[in-house]
Amino acid sequence: MRRNWAARLRHVTIGGLRAVVLENERLRVTVVPDKGGDVVEFLHKPTDTDFVWLSPQGLRDPHDHLQGAADDVAQFIDHYEGGWQEIFPSGGAPSEYRGARLAQHGEVSGLPWECEVVADSESEVAVRLSVRTRRLPYRMEKIFRLRSGTAALEIEGRATNDSPLPLHAMWGQHIVYGRPFLRPGATIRLPEGVTVIPHESAINPAGRRVRAGGPWSWPVVPADGGGETDLSVVQEPGSPSDIVYLTGFNEGWYEISGDIGIRVMWDAAVLPYLWMWQELGASTDYPWWGRAYTVGLEPFSSMPTDGLAAAVANGTALPLGPYETKVLQLRAEVLA
Protein backbone atom coordinates (compact mmCIF):
# COMPACT_ATOMS: atom_id res chain seq x y z
CA MET A 1 0.00 0.00 0.00
CA ARG A 2 1.26 3.47 -0.84
CA ARG A 3 2.14 5.44 2.32
CA ASN A 4 3.63 8.83 3.08
CA TRP A 5 4.51 7.94 6.68
CA ALA A 6 6.54 5.41 8.68
CA ALA A 7 8.54 2.97 6.53
CA ARG A 8 7.69 3.20 2.83
CA LEU A 9 9.14 2.68 -0.61
CA ARG A 10 8.59 4.07 -4.09
CA HIS A 11 9.64 2.91 -7.53
CA VAL A 12 10.91 5.85 -9.58
CA THR A 13 12.94 6.59 -12.71
CA ILE A 14 16.08 8.75 -12.61
CA GLY A 15 17.61 9.73 -15.93
CA GLY A 16 15.89 6.79 -17.59
CA LEU A 17 17.17 4.30 -14.99
CA ARG A 18 14.98 2.22 -12.67
CA ALA A 19 15.42 3.26 -9.05
CA VAL A 20 13.78 2.48 -5.73
CA VAL A 21 13.51 4.85 -2.75
CA LEU A 22 13.45 3.38 0.78
CA GLU A 23 12.33 5.94 3.34
CA ASN A 24 11.26 6.33 6.95
CA GLU A 25 10.98 9.17 9.46
CA ARG A 26 14.75 9.71 9.54
CA LEU A 27 16.37 8.39 6.35
CA ARG A 28 15.84 8.40 2.60
CA VAL A 29 17.96 5.94 0.62
CA THR A 30 17.83 5.78 -3.18
CA VAL A 31 19.11 2.65 -4.94
CA VAL A 32 19.50 2.24 -8.73
CA PRO A 33 19.04 -1.43 -9.76
CA ASP A 34 19.57 -0.52 -13.42
CA LYS A 35 23.14 0.57 -12.62
CA GLY A 36 24.84 -1.91 -10.35
CA GLY A 37 22.43 -1.46 -7.46
CA ASP A 38 24.28 1.78 -6.68
CA VAL A 39 23.22 3.83 -3.66
CA VAL A 40 23.01 7.40 -4.99
CA GLU A 41 21.38 9.00 -1.95
CA PHE A 42 21.82 8.39 1.78
CA LEU A 43 19.98 11.35 3.23
CA HIS A 44 19.52 12.08 6.93
CA LYS A 45 16.24 13.96 6.83
CA PRO A 46 16.31 15.87 10.17
CA THR A 47 19.55 17.64 9.15
CA ASP A 48 19.13 17.46 5.35
CA THR A 49 22.56 15.77 5.16
CA ASP A 50 23.39 13.47 2.25
CA PHE A 51 26.46 11.44 3.18
CA VAL A 52 27.48 10.10 -0.23
CA TRP A 53 29.63 12.09 -2.64
CA LEU A 54 28.05 12.83 -6.00
CA SER A 55 30.50 13.41 -8.83
CA PRO A 56 30.19 16.52 -11.06
CA GLN A 57 29.14 14.40 -14.06
CA GLY A 58 26.14 13.01 -12.19
CA LEU A 59 24.21 9.80 -12.83
CA ARG A 60 24.44 8.65 -16.44
CA ASP A 61 22.77 5.77 -18.25
CA PRO A 62 25.64 3.66 -19.67
CA HIS A 63 23.44 2.75 -22.65
CA ASP A 64 23.45 6.39 -23.79
CA HIS A 65 27.24 6.63 -24.02
CA LEU A 66 28.43 5.71 -27.50
CA GLN A 67 31.23 8.14 -28.37
CA GLY A 68 33.94 7.46 -25.77
CA ALA A 69 37.11 5.59 -26.65
CA ALA A 70 36.76 2.02 -25.45
CA ASP A 71 39.06 0.80 -22.68
CA ASP A 72 38.74 -1.25 -19.50
CA VAL A 73 39.02 1.77 -17.18
CA ALA A 74 36.54 4.06 -18.94
CA GLN A 75 33.76 1.47 -18.58
CA PHE A 76 33.59 2.35 -14.89
CA ILE A 77 34.90 5.92 -14.77
CA ASP A 78 32.79 7.39 -17.58
CA HIS A 79 29.60 6.41 -15.72
CA TYR A 80 30.79 6.91 -12.15
CA GLU A 81 28.33 9.15 -10.32
CA GLY A 82 29.92 8.71 -6.90
CA GLY A 83 27.69 7.12 -4.30
CA TRP A 84 28.13 3.54 -3.14
CA GLN A 85 28.89 0.58 -5.43
CA GLU A 86 29.01 -3.17 -4.91
CA ILE A 87 32.41 -4.34 -6.20
CA PHE A 88 32.71 -7.97 -7.34
CA PRO A 89 34.53 -10.10 -8.51
CA SER A 90 37.54 -7.79 -9.04
CA GLY A 91 38.52 -4.54 -7.35
CA GLY A 92 40.52 -1.68 -8.80
CA ALA A 93 42.50 -1.83 -12.02
CA PRO A 94 41.69 -4.08 -15.01
CA SER A 95 42.87 -7.63 -14.53
CA GLU A 96 42.82 -11.06 -16.14
CA TYR A 97 41.78 -14.16 -14.19
CA ARG A 98 41.86 -17.62 -15.77
CA GLY A 99 41.37 -16.21 -19.23
CA ALA A 100 38.61 -13.76 -18.29
CA ARG A 101 39.44 -10.10 -18.83
CA LEU A 102 37.88 -7.99 -16.05
CA ALA A 103 37.47 -4.23 -16.36
CA GLN A 104 37.97 -1.56 -13.68
CA HIS A 105 36.14 -2.62 -10.49
CA GLY A 106 34.93 -5.91 -11.87
CA GLU A 107 31.55 -6.82 -13.32
CA VAL A 108 28.55 -6.21 -11.07
CA SER A 109 28.95 -2.45 -10.61
CA GLY A 110 28.14 -1.97 -14.30
CA LEU A 111 25.33 -4.50 -14.71
CA PRO A 112 21.56 -4.09 -14.32
CA TRP A 113 20.20 -6.01 -11.31
CA GLU A 114 16.77 -7.58 -10.89
CA CYS A 115 14.75 -6.04 -8.07
CA GLU A 116 11.83 -7.39 -6.03
CA VAL A 117 10.05 -6.14 -2.94
CA VAL A 118 10.37 -8.53 0.03
CA ALA A 119 8.85 -6.37 2.77
CA ASP A 120 6.43 -3.44 2.59
CA SER A 121 4.77 -2.46 5.85
CA GLU A 122 4.71 0.51 8.21
CA SER A 123 7.35 -1.23 10.36
CA GLU A 124 9.87 -2.05 7.61
CA VAL A 125 10.54 -2.02 3.88
CA ALA A 126 13.05 -4.18 2.03
CA VAL A 127 14.04 -5.00 -1.54
CA ARG A 128 16.12 -7.86 -2.89
CA LEU A 129 18.50 -7.19 -5.79
CA SER A 130 20.09 -10.01 -7.78
CA VAL A 131 22.48 -10.38 -10.71
CA ARG A 132 24.66 -12.94 -12.47
CA THR A 133 28.14 -12.04 -13.62
CA ARG A 134 28.89 -12.60 -17.28
CA ARG A 135 32.57 -13.52 -17.46
CA LEU A 136 32.85 -15.55 -14.25
CA PRO A 137 30.20 -18.00 -12.99
CA TYR A 138 28.90 -16.02 -10.01
CA ARG A 139 25.47 -15.06 -8.72
CA MET A 140 24.93 -12.19 -6.27
CA GLU A 141 22.05 -11.03 -4.13
CA LYS A 142 21.67 -8.20 -1.66
CA ILE A 143 18.76 -7.16 0.51
CA PHE A 144 18.40 -3.51 1.53
CA ARG A 145 16.24 -3.11 4.66
CA LEU A 146 15.01 0.03 6.41
CA ARG A 147 13.00 -0.18 9.64
CA SER A 148 10.63 2.48 10.92
CA GLY A 149 12.10 4.90 13.46
CA THR A 150 15.74 4.01 12.84
CA ALA A 151 18.55 5.91 11.13
CA ALA A 152 20.18 2.69 9.93
CA LEU A 153 20.28 0.88 6.59
CA GLU A 154 20.78 -2.88 6.90
CA ILE A 155 22.24 -4.92 4.05
CA GLU A 156 22.64 -8.66 3.63
CA GLY A 157 24.79 -9.69 0.67
CA ARG A 158 25.30 -13.15 -0.83
CA ALA A 159 27.95 -14.19 -3.34
CA THR A 160 27.58 -17.68 -4.82
CA ASN A 161 30.00 -19.67 -6.96
CA ASP A 162 27.70 -21.23 -9.55
CA SER A 163 30.28 -23.72 -10.83
CA PRO A 164 31.83 -27.06 -9.77
CA LEU A 165 35.29 -25.42 -9.60
CA PRO A 166 37.06 -23.59 -6.77
CA LEU A 167 37.36 -19.91 -7.68
CA HIS A 168 38.56 -16.58 -6.30
CA ALA A 169 37.05 -13.11 -6.08
CA MET A 170 37.45 -9.65 -4.62
CA TRP A 171 34.39 -8.30 -2.81
CA GLY A 172 34.10 -4.71 -1.68
CA GLN A 173 31.79 -1.87 -0.72
CA HIS A 174 32.89 1.25 -2.62
CA ILE A 175 31.50 3.87 -0.18
CA VAL A 176 32.60 7.47 -0.73
CA TYR A 177 31.75 10.57 1.29
CA GLY A 178 31.51 14.16 0.09
CA ARG A 179 30.22 17.63 0.74
CA PRO A 180 28.23 18.96 2.48
CA PHE A 181 28.86 16.22 5.02
CA LEU A 182 32.60 15.89 4.38
CA ARG A 183 34.71 18.86 5.42
CA PRO A 184 38.30 19.60 6.51
CA GLY A 185 38.80 18.54 10.11
CA ALA A 186 36.21 15.76 10.01
CA THR A 187 37.44 12.77 12.01
CA ILE A 188 37.66 9.04 11.39
CA ARG A 189 37.54 6.49 14.22
CA LEU A 190 38.61 2.85 13.93
CA PRO A 191 39.02 -0.04 16.39
CA GLU A 192 42.26 -0.33 18.34
CA GLY A 193 45.16 -2.20 16.73
CA VAL A 194 44.57 -1.30 13.09
CA THR A 195 47.62 -1.04 10.83
CA VAL A 196 48.17 0.97 7.66
CA ILE A 197 49.63 -0.53 4.48
CA PRO A 198 50.49 2.13 1.87
CA HIS A 199 49.83 1.44 -1.78
CA GLU A 200 53.07 0.43 -3.47
CA SER A 201 53.22 3.50 -5.70
CA ALA A 202 51.69 6.97 -5.75
CA ILE A 203 48.31 7.24 -7.48
CA ASN A 204 49.05 10.84 -8.53
CA PRO A 205 52.33 11.98 -10.14
CA ALA A 206 52.20 15.15 -8.00
CA GLY A 207 52.87 13.13 -4.84
CA ARG A 208 51.24 11.18 -2.07
CA ARG A 209 50.24 11.73 1.55
CA VAL A 210 51.69 8.61 3.24
CA ARG A 211 55.30 7.49 2.85
CA ALA A 212 55.77 4.22 1.01
CA GLY A 213 56.81 1.21 3.06
CA GLY A 214 55.22 0.27 6.35
CA PRO A 215 53.10 -1.19 7.66
CA TRP A 216 52.46 1.69 10.05
CA SER A 217 50.22 1.95 13.13
CA TRP A 218 46.96 3.86 12.74
CA PRO A 219 46.41 6.82 12.81
CA VAL A 220 49.67 8.83 12.87
CA VAL A 221 51.98 7.64 10.08
CA PRO A 222 55.11 8.90 8.30
CA ALA A 223 54.30 11.52 5.71
CA ASP A 224 55.75 11.48 2.24
CA GLY A 225 58.56 14.04 2.19
CA GLY A 226 59.14 13.92 5.94
CA GLY A 227 57.29 14.42 9.19
CA GLU A 228 54.03 12.77 10.12
CA THR A 229 50.40 12.92 9.08
CA ASP A 230 47.29 11.97 11.04
CA LEU A 231 45.05 9.81 8.85
CA SER A 232 42.15 10.21 11.27
CA VAL A 233 41.70 13.86 10.23
CA VAL A 234 40.28 14.82 6.81
CA GLN A 235 42.61 17.24 5.03
CA GLU A 236 42.09 20.60 3.31
CA PRO A 237 41.17 20.85 -0.39
CA GLY A 238 44.20 20.30 -2.60
CA SER A 239 45.89 17.87 -0.18
CA PRO A 240 47.70 14.93 -1.81
CA SER A 241 45.73 12.12 -3.39
CA ASP A 242 46.43 8.69 -1.90
CA ILE A 243 45.12 5.23 -1.16
CA VAL A 244 46.11 3.04 1.79
CA TYR A 245 44.85 -0.30 3.09
CA LEU A 246 43.83 -0.75 6.73
CA THR A 247 43.83 -4.16 8.36
CA GLY A 248 43.89 -5.84 11.78
CA PHE A 249 40.15 -5.46 12.48
CA ASN A 250 38.95 -7.59 15.40
CA GLU A 251 35.58 -5.97 14.72
CA GLY A 252 34.57 -4.46 11.42
CA TRP A 253 33.48 -0.87 12.04
CA TYR A 254 34.40 2.74 11.47
CA GLU A 255 32.92 6.13 12.24
CA ILE A 256 33.41 9.31 10.25
CA SER A 257 32.08 12.52 11.79
CA GLY A 258 31.88 16.20 11.04
CA ASP A 259 28.88 18.12 12.37
CA ILE A 260 27.10 14.77 12.19
CA GLY A 261 28.47 11.25 11.81
CA ILE A 262 27.92 7.81 10.35
CA ARG A 263 28.97 4.42 11.66
CA VAL A 264 29.47 1.51 9.23
CA MET A 265 29.66 -2.03 10.63
CA TRP A 266 30.44 -5.21 8.68
CA ASP A 267 31.70 -8.77 9.06
CA ALA A 268 35.49 -8.44 9.14
CA ALA A 269 35.89 -12.20 8.71
CA VAL A 270 34.53 -11.77 5.16
CA LEU A 271 35.98 -8.31 4.44
CA PRO A 272 39.17 -7.99 6.56
CA TYR A 273 40.49 -4.83 4.82
CA LEU A 274 39.36 -1.22 4.68
CA TRP A 275 40.51 0.76 1.68
CA MET A 276 40.99 4.46 2.43
CA TRP A 277 40.92 6.52 -0.76
CA GLN A 278 41.54 10.26 -0.63
CA GLU A 279 40.87 12.47 -3.66
CA LEU A 280 40.70 16.01 -2.34
CA GLY A 281 41.28 18.02 -5.50
CA ALA A 282 44.99 17.43 -6.09
CA SER A 283 44.44 15.32 -9.23
CA THR A 284 44.11 17.81 -12.07
CA ASP A 285 44.07 15.42 -15.06
CA TYR A 286 41.58 12.75 -16.18
CA PRO A 287 39.25 11.81 -14.64
CA TRP A 288 38.96 14.28 -11.74
CA TRP A 289 40.16 17.63 -13.22
CA GLY A 290 40.56 19.07 -9.73
CA ARG A 291 36.81 18.82 -9.06
CA ALA A 292 36.71 15.95 -6.57
CA TYR A 293 36.64 16.38 -2.80
CA THR A 294 35.93 12.93 -1.45
CA VAL A 295 37.15 10.25 0.94
CA GLY A 296 36.34 6.60 0.38
CA LEU A 297 36.19 4.21 3.34
CA GLU A 298 35.62 0.89 1.63
CA PRO A 299 35.40 -2.51 3.37
CA PHE A 300 37.08 -5.10 1.12
CA SER A 301 37.97 -8.77 1.08
CA SER A 302 41.35 -8.21 -0.53
CA MET A 303 44.08 -5.78 -1.56
CA PRO A 304 45.54 -3.91 -3.41
CA THR A 305 43.56 -1.89 -5.96
CA ASP A 306 45.33 -3.75 -8.78
CA GLY A 307 42.66 -6.27 -9.67
CA LEU A 308 41.89 -9.91 -8.95
CA ALA A 309 45.10 -11.39 -10.35
CA ALA A 310 47.20 -9.34 -7.91
CA ALA A 311 45.01 -10.40 -4.97
CA VAL A 312 45.35 -14.07 -5.97
CA ALA A 313 49.13 -13.63 -6.21
CA ASN A 314 49.44 -12.10 -2.72
CA GLY A 315 47.03 -14.54 -1.07
CA THR A 316 44.31 -12.03 -0.11
CA ALA A 317 41.70 -13.07 -2.72
CA LEU A 318 38.43 -14.43 -1.35
CA PRO A 319 38.16 -18.19 -2.04
CA LEU A 320 34.80 -19.65 -3.01
CA GLY A 321 34.57 -23.41 -3.26
CA PRO A 322 32.32 -25.27 -5.71
CA TYR A 323 28.74 -23.95 -5.31
CA GLU A 324 29.74 -22.15 -2.10
CA THR A 325 27.88 -19.05 -0.89
CA LYS A 326 29.52 -16.32 1.19
CA VAL A 327 27.19 -14.12 3.27
CA LEU A 328 27.95 -10.55 4.35
CA GLN A 329 26.05 -8.50 6.95
CA LEU A 330 26.50 -4.75 6.85
CA ARG A 331 24.87 -1.84 8.66
CA ALA A 332 25.25 1.92 8.07
CA GLU A 333 23.80 4.10 10.85
CA VAL A 334 23.71 7.88 11.21
CA LEU A 335 25.10 9.26 14.47
CA ALA A 336 23.19 12.42 15.34
Side-chain angles (χ1 to χ4, degrees):
M1 185 182 76
R2 179 69 182 268
R3 291 179 302 281
N4 290 321
W5 65 90
R8 64 265 200 192
L9 61 80
R10 289 178 293 126
H11 295 277
V12 299
T13 301
I14 304 175
L17 297 167
R18 290 178 306 139
V20 59
V21 180
L22 294 88
E23 188 171 6
N24 66 8
E25 305 88 341
R26 303 177 69 185
L27 282 183
R28 186 170 69 233
V29 179
T30 300
V31 180
V32 185
D34 265 359
K35 186 183 177 295
D38 290 5
V39 177
V40 298
E41 180 185 41
F42 194 103
L43 182 79
H44 182 244
K45 293 165 63 174
T47 59
D48 196 31
T49 302
D50 191 0
F51 286 86
V52 298
W53 177 64
L54 299 177
S55 75
Q57 68 188 19
L59 181 63
R60 296 172 171 175
D61 185 344
H63 295 101
D64 292 339
H65 186 65
L66 301 176
Q67 303 304 318
D71 66 66
D72 285 345
V73 174
Q75 273 183 247
F76 181 86
I77 294 294
D78 285 358
H79 311 107
Y80 176 54
E81 77 284 357
W84 173 352
Q85 285 77 35
E86 192 87 21
I87 303 299
F88 189 93
S90 182
S95 182
E96 185 171 316
Y97 174 71
R98 297 178 65 169
R101 181 71 184 175
L102 301 169
Q104 178 87 7
H105 282 318
E107 295 197 68
V108 301
S109 63
L111 294 176
W113 293 52
E114 297 298 321
C115 179
E116 63 174 321
V117 176
V118 294
D120 185 4
S121 70
E122 294 181 25
S123 60
E124 68 171 357
V125 289
V127 293
R128 179 188 291 113
L129 274 61
S130 59
V131 70
R132 291 181 182 272
T133 55
R134 296 177 178 177
R135 298 197 172 181
L136 296 180
Y138 284 118
R139 176 167 43 89
M140 296 204 77
E141 293 183 354
K142 56 182 175 181
I143 295 175
F144 291 93
R145 189 178 307 275
L146 188 60
R147 303 180 193 272
S148 177
T150 72
L153 177 68
E154 302 169 37
I155 300 175
E156 179 179 282
R158 293 176 176 268
T160 298
N161 177 359
D162 235 358
S163 84
L165 305 173
L167 297 174
H168 297 91
M170 298 175 78
W171 193 0
Q173 303 296 316
H174 193 283
I175 311 171
V176 297
Y177 300 95
R179 292 187 174 111
F181 162 67
L182 190 73
R183 58 168 176 78
T187 58
I188 300 165
R189 289 187 59 233
L190 301 178
E192 295 291 331
V194 169
T195 58
V196 179
I197 304 172
H199 191 60
E200 186 175 7
S201 59
I203 62 172
N204 182 5
R208 60 192 302 170
R209 182 179 177 188
V210 179
R211 194 175 80 200
W216 320 113
S217 295
W218 170 271
V220 179
V221 300
D224 190 51
E228 294 179 328
T229 186
D230 187 347
L231 287 174
S232 70
V233 180
V234 176
Q235 301 296 287
E236 297 286 338
S239 298
S241 307
D242 210 346
I243 186 167
V244 299
Y245 312 99
L246 311 173
T247 190
F249 289 88
N250 292 321
E251 298 176 296
W253 65 266
Y254 67 75
E255 295 176 1
I256 178 169
S257 303
D259 298 324
I260 188 174
I262 188 169
R263 179 182 176 96
V264 176
M265 294 166 282
W266 72 94
D267 184 354
V270 180
L271 308 183
Y273 296 94
L274 181 69
W275 294 13
M276 182 179 181
W277 172 49
Q278 302 161 86
E279 183 45 72
L280 304 175
S283 297
T284 55
D285 294 329
Y286 176 83
W288 309 121
W289 306 113
R291 299 188 298 172
Y293 186 81
T294 185
V295 170
L297 293 171
E298 310 167 25
F300 252 91
S301 64
S302 320
M303 58 157 285
T305 182
D306 292 335
L308 179 54
V312 171
N314 68 21
T316 66
L318 182 71
L320 286 99
Y323 303 110
E324 182 182 3
T325 297
K326 300 281 190 185
V327 179
L328 173 68
Q329 304 288 343
L330 188 143
R331 178 183 174 94
E333 181 171 8
V334 176
L335 307 173

mmCIF file of all heavy atoms in Angstrom, residues 116-135:
data_model
loop_
_atom_site.group_PDB
_atom_site.id
_atom_site.type_symbol
_atom_site.label_atom_id
_atom_site.label_comp_id
_atom_site.label_asym_id
_atom_site.label_seq_id
_atom_site.Cartn_x
_atom_site.Cartn_y
_atom_site.Cartn_z
ATOM 1 N N GLU A 116 13.156 -6.988 -6.496
ATOM 2 C CA GLU A 116 11.827 -7.390 -6.033
ATOM 3 C C GLU A 116 11.616 -6.912 -4.603
ATOM 4 O O GLU A 116 12.562 -6.851 -3.804
ATOM 5 C CB GLU A 116 11.646 -8.913 -6.114
ATOM 6 C CG GLU A 116 12.591 -9.698 -5.239
ATOM 7 C CD GLU A 116 12.286 -11.189 -5.249
ATOM 8 O OE1 GLU A 116 11.091 -11.556 -5.249
ATOM 9 O OE2 GLU A 116 13.248 -11.983 -5.256
ATOM 10 N N VAL A 117 10.394 -6.579 -4.283
ATOM 11 C CA VAL A 117 10.045 -6.142 -2.938
ATOM 12 C C VAL A 117 9.865 -7.379 -2.061
ATOM 13 O O VAL A 117 9.133 -8.305 -2.425
ATOM 14 C CB VAL A 117 8.755 -5.299 -2.952
ATOM 15 C CG1 VAL A 117 8.334 -4.936 -1.531
ATOM 16 C CG2 VAL A 117 8.960 -4.051 -3.803
ATOM 17 N N VAL A 118 10.518 -7.394 -0.897
ATOM 18 C CA VAL A 118 10.375 -8.532 0.026
ATOM 19 C C VAL A 118 9.713 -8.133 1.339
ATOM 20 O O VAL A 118 9.341 -9.005 2.126
ATOM 21 C CB VAL A 118 11.732 -9.215 0.292
ATOM 22 C CG1 VAL A 118 12.255 -9.862 -0.980
ATOM 23 C CG2 VAL A 118 12.760 -8.249 0.848
ATOM 24 N N ALA A 119 9.587 -6.831 1.603
ATOM 25 C CA ALA A 119 8.848 -6.365 2.775
ATOM 26 C C ALA A 119 8.312 -4.971 2.466
ATOM 27 O O ALA A 119 9.026 -4.139 1.908
ATOM 28 C CB ALA A 119 9.738 -6.324 4.022
ATOM 29 N N ASP A 120 7.039 -4.743 2.831
ATOM 30 C CA ASP A 120 6.427 -3.440 2.589
ATOM 31 C C ASP A 120 5.323 -3.235 3.627
ATOM 32 O O ASP A 120 4.158 -3.563 3.398
ATOM 33 C CB ASP A 120 5.861 -3.358 1.171
ATOM 34 C CG ASP A 120 5.315 -1.974 0.841
ATOM 35 O OD1 ASP A 120 5.452 -1.064 1.683
ATOM 36 O OD2 ASP A 120 4.748 -1.820 -0.254
ATOM 37 N N SER A 121 5.727 -2.734 4.779
ATOM 38 C CA SER A 121 4.773 -2.458 5.852
ATOM 39 C C SER A 121 5.196 -1.178 6.555
ATOM 40 O O SER A 121 6.275 -0.636 6.296
ATOM 41 C CB SER A 121 4.739 -3.615 6.855
ATOM 42 O OG SER A 121 5.950 -3.662 7.602
ATOM 43 N N GLU A 122 4.359 -0.692 7.462
ATOM 44 C CA GLU A 122 4.712 0.505 8.214
ATOM 45 C C GLU A 122 5.952 0.285 9.076
ATOM 46 O O GLU A 122 6.671 1.238 9.381
ATOM 47 C CB GLU A 122 3.545 0.938 9.091
ATOM 48 C CG GLU A 122 2.335 1.408 8.311
ATOM 49 C CD GLU A 122 1.213 1.857 9.216
ATOM 50 O OE1 GLU A 122 1.497 2.258 10.366
ATOM 51 O OE2 GLU A 122 0.037 1.807 8.786
ATOM 52 N N SER A 123 6.219 -0.957 9.459
ATOM 53 C CA SER A 123 7.348 -1.228 10.356
ATOM 54 C C SER A 123 8.667 -1.399 9.616
ATOM 55 O O SER A 123 9.736 -1.093 10.161
ATOM 56 C CB SER A 123 7.082 -2.470 11.200
ATOM 57 O OG SER A 123 6.896 -3.609 10.370
ATOM 58 N N GLU A 124 8.634 -1.891 8.364
ATOM 59 C CA GLU A 124 9.871 -2.047 7.610
ATOM 60 C C GLU A 124 9.580 -2.192 6.122
ATOM 61 O O GLU A 124 8.511 -2.668 5.728
ATOM 62 C CB GLU A 124 10.681 -3.258 8.091
ATOM 63 C CG GLU A 124 10.034 -4.591 7.792
ATOM 64 C CD GLU A 124 10.969 -5.766 8.084
ATOM 65 O OE1 GLU A 124 12.124 -5.547 8.455
ATOM 66 O OE2 GLU A 124 10.505 -6.906 7.937
ATOM 67 N N VAL A 125 10.574 -1.776 5.320
ATOM 68 C CA VAL A 125 10.540 -2.025 3.882
ATOM 69 C C VAL A 125 11.875 -2.654 3.497
ATOM 70 O O VAL A 125 12.915 -2.384 4.107
ATOM 71 C CB VAL A 125 10.295 -0.735 3.065
ATOM 72 C CG1 VAL A 125 8.866 -0.256 3.238
ATOM 73 C CG2 VAL A 125 11.285 0.362 3.447
ATOM 74 N N ALA A 126 11.832 -3.515 2.472
ATOM 75 C CA ALA A 126 13.049 -4.180 2.029
ATOM 76 C C ALA A 126 12.891 -4.588 0.579
ATOM 77 O O ALA A 126 11.790 -4.949 0.128
ATOM 78 C CB ALA A 126 13.359 -5.417 2.888
ATOM 79 N N VAL A 127 14.004 -4.528 -0.161
ATOM 80 C CA VAL A 127 14.042 -5.003 -1.537
ATOM 81 C C VAL A 127 15.238 -5.934 -1.699
ATOM 82 O O VAL A 127 16.270 -5.770 -1.051
ATOM 83 C CB VAL A 127 14.146 -3.841 -2.555
ATOM 84 C CG1 VAL A 127 12.875 -3.019 -2.555
ATOM 85 C CG2 VAL A 127 15.358 -2.961 -2.290
ATOM 86 N N ARG A 128 15.046 -6.935 -2.552
ATOM 87 C CA ARG A 128 16.118 -7.864 -2.888
ATOM 88 C C ARG A 128 16.579 -7.591 -4.314
ATOM 89 O O ARG A 128 15.784 -7.607 -5.248
ATOM 90 C CB ARG A 128 15.674 -9.309 -2.770
ATOM 91 C CG ARG A 128 16.784 -10.310 -3.157
ATOM 92 C CD ARG A 128 16.290 -11.737 -3.238
ATOM 93 N NE ARG A 128 15.941 -12.273 -1.933
ATOM 94 C CZ ARG A 128 14.717 -12.588 -1.537
ATOM 95 N NH1 ARG A 128 13.695 -12.418 -2.385
ATOM 96 N NH2 ARG A 128 14.481 -13.067 -0.342
ATOM 97 N N LEU A 129 17.896 -7.357 -4.479
ATOM 98 C CA LEU A 129 18.500 -7.191 -5.787
ATOM 99 C C LEU A 129 19.313 -8.428 -6.108
ATOM 100 O O LEU A 129 19.927 -9.036 -5.211
ATOM 101 C CB LEU A 129 19.408 -5.956 -5.815
ATOM 102 C CG LEU A 129 18.743 -4.604 -6.127
ATOM 103 C CD1 LEU A 129 17.694 -4.254 -5.070
ATOM 104 C CD2 LEU A 129 19.789 -3.501 -6.202
ATOM 105 N N SER A 130 19.330 -8.827 -7.391
ATOM 106 C CA SER A 130 20.092 -10.015 -7.776
ATOM 107 C C SER A 130 20.665 -9.831 -9.172
ATOM 108 O O SER A 130 20.099 -9.115 -10.010
ATOM 109 C CB SER A 130 19.221 -11.270 -7.716
ATOM 110 O OG SER A 130 18.104 -11.146 -8.582
ATOM 111 N N VAL A 131 21.807 -10.490 -9.418
ATOM 112 C CA VAL A 131 22.478 -10.380 -10.711
ATOM 113 C C VAL A 131 23.396 -11.582 -10.885
ATOM 114 O O VAL A 131 23.872 -12.169 -9.901
ATOM 115 C CB VAL A 131 23.293 -9.063 -10.798
ATOM 116 C CG1 VAL A 131 24.506 -9.089 -9.878
ATOM 117 C CG2 VAL A 131 23.699 -8.737 -12.231
ATOM 118 N N ARG A 132 23.655 -11.940 -12.127
ATOM 119 C CA ARG A 132 24.663 -12.943 -12.471
ATOM 120 C C ARG A 132 25.787 -12.260 -13.238
ATOM 121 O O ARG A 132 25.526 -11.457 -14.142
ATOM 122 C CB ARG A 132 24.067 -14.063 -13.321
ATOM 123 C CG ARG A 132 23.094 -14.959 -12.577
ATOM 124 C CD ARG A 132 22.560 -16.070 -13.473
ATOM 125 N NE ARG A 132 21.588 -16.897 -12.775
ATOM 126 C CZ ARG A 132 21.901 -17.966 -12.045
ATOM 127 N NH1 ARG A 132 23.164 -18.351 -11.945
ATOM 128 N NH2 ARG A 132 20.953 -18.663 -11.425
ATOM 129 N N THR A 133 27.013 -12.568 -12.860
ATOM 130 C CA THR A 133 28.139 -12.039 -13.620
ATOM 131 C C THR A 133 28.185 -12.722 -14.984
ATOM 132 O O THR A 133 27.607 -13.790 -15.185
ATOM 133 C CB THR A 133 29.452 -12.253 -12.866
ATOM 134 O OG1 THR A 133 29.589 -13.646 -12.551
ATOM 135 C CG2 THR A 133 29.490 -11.461 -11.576
ATOM 136 N N ARG A 134 28.916 -12.117 -15.917
ATOM 137 C CA ARG A 134 28.894 -12.605 -17.284
ATOM 138 C C ARG A 134 30.185 -13.285 -17.703
ATOM 139 O O ARG A 134 30.168 -14.134 -18.585
ATOM 140 C CB ARG A 134 28.586 -11.431 -18.230
ATOM 141 C CG ARG A 134 27.190 -10.868 -17.968
ATOM 142 C CD ARG A 134 26.840 -9.680 -18.812
ATOM 143 N NE ARG A 134 25.481 -9.225 -18.528
ATOM 144 C CZ ARG A 134 24.924 -8.168 -19.073
ATOM 145 N NH1 ARG A 134 25.605 -7.418 -19.940
ATOM 146 N NH2 ARG A 134 23.691 -7.824 -18.774
ATOM 147 N N ARG A 135 31.295 -12.917 -17.074
ATOM 148 C CA ARG A 135 32.568 -13.524 -17.458
ATOM 149 C C ARG A 135 33.026 -14.595 -16.478
ATOM 150 O O ARG A 135 33.792 -15.478 -16.848
ATOM 151 C CB ARG A 135 33.627 -12.436 -17.619
ATOM 152 C CG ARG A 135 33.247 -11.455 -18.717
ATOM 153 C CD ARG A 135 34.386 -10.620 -19.209
ATOM 154 N NE ARG A 135 33.972 -9.851 -20.371
ATOM 155 C CZ ARG A 135 34.760 -9.036 -21.055
ATOM 156 N NH1 ARG A 135 36.035 -8.890 -20.685
ATOM 157 N NH2 ARG A 135 34.305 -8.380 -22.093
#
